[in-house]
Amino acid sequence: MEQVIEDIYRQHSRRVLATLIRLLGDFDRAEEALHDAFAAAARTWPVDGMPNNPVAWLVSTGRFKAIDHLRRRARFNASLQHIEDGLYPDGTEAEIGDMEPIEDDMLRLIFICCHPALAADAQTAMALREVCGLTTEEIAHAFLVPAPTVAQRIVRAKNRIRTENIPYEVPVGAELPERLDRVLHVIYLVFNEGYSASSGSTIVRADLTAEAIRLARLLATLLPHPDVAGLLSLLLLQESRRAARQDVDGALVLLADQDRSRWDRSKISEGLSLLASALRAPDIGIYTVQAAIAAEHAKTGSTEETDWRRIAFYYDLLIAAHPSAIAELNRAVAIAMSEGPGKGLALVDAILGKGELTTYHLAHSARADFLRRLGRRAEAIQAYETALTFCRQEPEQVFLRKRILELTT
């Protein structure tokens, strides 16, 4: 039962939190209620058995626990009664049994994290903390800033949400498209954290990739827009490869070595259809360009058949529209595949020379691979070791050690 509860926490805790924020009207109170609910589950489920709807049970229990805390902390006065009335608008404390009202709460959470009243860096930190469940240390590592700085951003954002009474809702009318870019970015970040976890013992967090795709679909129904279609296309095309990205032991399998028969053809078909629709728009968004890159992989039977020159061209378009050191790194890999590792090495060295990716393990891993292919073994080993010092995901660490061992024996 302990493992079951851990799995439910991993897969559903953010959705439970999102609903508790709506019900309780406060981030900190909701987080406390979330942990109280899971503590109650750990005590009662082994004895009474798991409820039919564990997510609804956790929401209901968390809400009741919050009321109990309020009753202990405050006198029974009019203000407390007002709080309780807000938590139980229907005048009942019945357990939540219908999941339908809960489904939109993750999207509400993303929109409040992306509210224009919050600073842009705080929006991203809030989204990764509240939607993905990343720790402040993990967020700090991802954005190369001190952990206390991230914590301060999140605290300030929560205080502003509270003091300005920012509504916990999906906006309507003109406000919806105005906030679209930030929301798409957050959904993209959620998917990326699931597709290649920043740390831990697994390559993929399927709960996050599935949630990101669900949210993109929900957003598409609220706001049919080419950029939404482009993002959903990208997510589906990337997700189609998930089963082939690791072997039966959980080890990393590179794109060139993947069994493409394991790629999900239904997701590829849907992704290509969405891409075709998005490409008909007058203006092509950055997610549509990235989806076009993913489509080049999806349409071919092997790495050798892939049109790497076209992929490099798409990265040129992406960098022109949205300059990014990561996009430059990916372009370098595409050029190395089409023009040779020497050209790729020169490009990566130039990128690292700018200083933006000096602690990004994949930049050093790409450099090491180019050196390995050029037969420069000693330099390749050193580059792999540098990548290893910055890598926090266990399967990738295992892969890097394997490469080092291959070059030293």
Side-chain angles (χ1 to χ4, degrees):
M1 182 60 72
E2 180 179 350
Q3 185 59 52
V4 170
I5 295 173
E6 288 181 6
D7 290 343
I8 290 174
Y9 183 87
R10 183 177 179 85
Q11 296 173 20
H12 300 296
S13 63
R14 310 328 290 174
R15 188 177 296 185
V16 173
L17 176 65
T19 299
L20 286 171
I21 293 171
R22 171 169 60 84
L23 294 172
L24 303 178
D26 183 270
F27 278 83
D28 294 334
R29 189 182 297 151
E31 288 175 0
E32 184 179 9
L34 172 72
H35 295 302
D36 286 342
F38 273 95
R43 290 192 303 271
T44 61
W45 290 6
V47 177
D48 301 334
M50 191 171 70
N52 292 331
N53 193 332
V55 173
W57 187 97
L58 289 162
V59 170
S60 181
T61 300
R63 183 177 62 170
F64 296 155
K65 292 289 184 182
I67 282 292
D68 289 340
H69 284 307
L70 286 171
R71 286 170 176 160
R72 287 198 299 268
R73 293 172 184 172
R75 296 177 180 176
F76 291 97
N77 54 26
S79 61
L80 176 60
Q81 188 60 53
H82 175 72
I83 293 173
E84 292 191 40
D85 289 344
L87 296 177
Y88 300 104
D90 297 326
T92 176
E93 297 187 3
E95 179 176 324
I96 299 172
D98 183 2
M99 282 299 295
E100 287 303 314
I102 296 177
E103 288 302 311
D104 293 351
D105 285 333
M106 285 294 286
L107 199 57
R108 291 188 183 97
L109 178 56
I110 289 176
F111 269 99
I112 198 171
C113 288
C114 296
H115 197 279
L118 307 180
D121 53 7
Q123 291 177 19
T124 302
M126 275 278 289
L128 292 175
R129 177 72 186 92
E130 307 302 334
V131 180
C132 294
L134 298 189
T135 66
T136 53
E137 290 76 13
E138 289 170 332
I139 299 168
H141 181 267
F143 289 95
L144 309 179
V145 297
T149 301
V150 173
Q152 290 169 4
R153 290 173 183 172
I154 293 173
V155 169
R156 283 197 296 267
K158 289 180 178 179
N159 287 339
R160 188 154 194 177
I161 290 168
R162 185 185 304 111
T163 57
E164 297 190 12
N165 292 318
I166 293 175
Y168 190 71
E169 63 187 15
V170 175
V172 296
E175 290 184 43
L176 187 55
E178 287 175 1
R179 287 159 66 180
L180 179 62
D181 286 348
R182 294 301 304 174
V183 171
L184 291 176
H185 181 61
V186 167
I187 294 175
Y188 176 74
L189 290 176
V190 172
F191 180 87
N192 279 352
E193 178 58 28
Y195 188 73
S196 183
S198 57
S199 62
S201 60
T202 60
I203 298 168
V204 175
R205 287 190 57 185
D207 57 317
L208 288 181
T209 59
E211 184 64 17
I213 291 171
R214 188 189 72 82
L215 291 170
R217 289 191 190 281
L218 183 57
L219 187 59
T221 64
L222 289 171
L223 184 65
H225 190 283
D227 289 347
V228 182
L231 177 63
L232 183 54
S233 170
L234 171 62
L235 304 191
L236 289 168
L237 291 170
Q238 295 284 72
E239 178 73 356
S240 71
R241 305 200 296 261
R242 176 165 58 85
R245 293 184 63 236
Q246 51 191 344
D247 63 18
V248 293
D249 298 318
L252 175 66
V253 180
L254 297 181
L255 178 63
D257 301 323
Q258 289 176 16
D259 178 359
R260 299 193 178 206
S261 68
R262 299 185 65 196
W263 289 7
D264 189 326
R265 292 296 154 184
S266 64
K267 286 186 173 65
I268 290 174
S269 177
E270 184 182 1
L272 293 177
S273 176
L274 286 163
L275 175 60
S277 173
L279 287 172
R280 289 193 290 269
D283 297 315
I284 306 301
I286 59 172
Y287 302 111
T288 301
V289 176
Q290 291 180 74
I293 294 169
E296 289 299 317
H297 296 295
K299 292 186 294 186
T300 56
S302 69
T303 302
E304 293 73 24
E305 296 174 24
T306 303
D307 191 340
W308 290 102
R309 292 183 184 276
R310 179 178 289 274
I311 289 176
F313 168 73
Y314 284 142
Y315 275 117
D316 286 335
L317 295 179
L318 186 61
I319 292 166
H322 188 73
S324 161
I326 301 294
E328 289 182 17
L329 176 63
N330 290 332
R331 175 181 176 273
V333 172
I335 288 176
M337 295 298 294
S338 61
E339 301 182 30
K343 188 66 175 291
L345 178 63
L347 291 170
V348 170
D349 281 344
I351 293 167
L352 288 170
K354 296 177 184 177
E356 290 183 72
L357 299 183
T358 52
T359 62
Y360 186 53
H361 72 282
L362 292 179
H364 295 284
S365 179
R367 183 173 186 273
D369 183 61
F370 298 153
L371 289 165
R372 179 184 63 85
R373 289 160 58 188
L374 289 168
R376 296 160 61 174
R377 294 165 64 94
E379 292 173 272
I381 291 170
Q382 185 177 16
Y384 278 125
E385 289 175 342
T386 302
L388 191 57
T389 63
F390 297 119
C391 181
R392 301 180 65 187
Q393 187 198 94
E394 291 177 24
E396 287 185 332
Q397 290 171 348
V398 170
F399 172 80
L400 293 171
R401 292 191 185 100
K402 180 182 176 182
R403 281 286 199 236
I404 292 170
L405 183 62
E406 289 171 351
L407 290 169
T408 53
T409 54

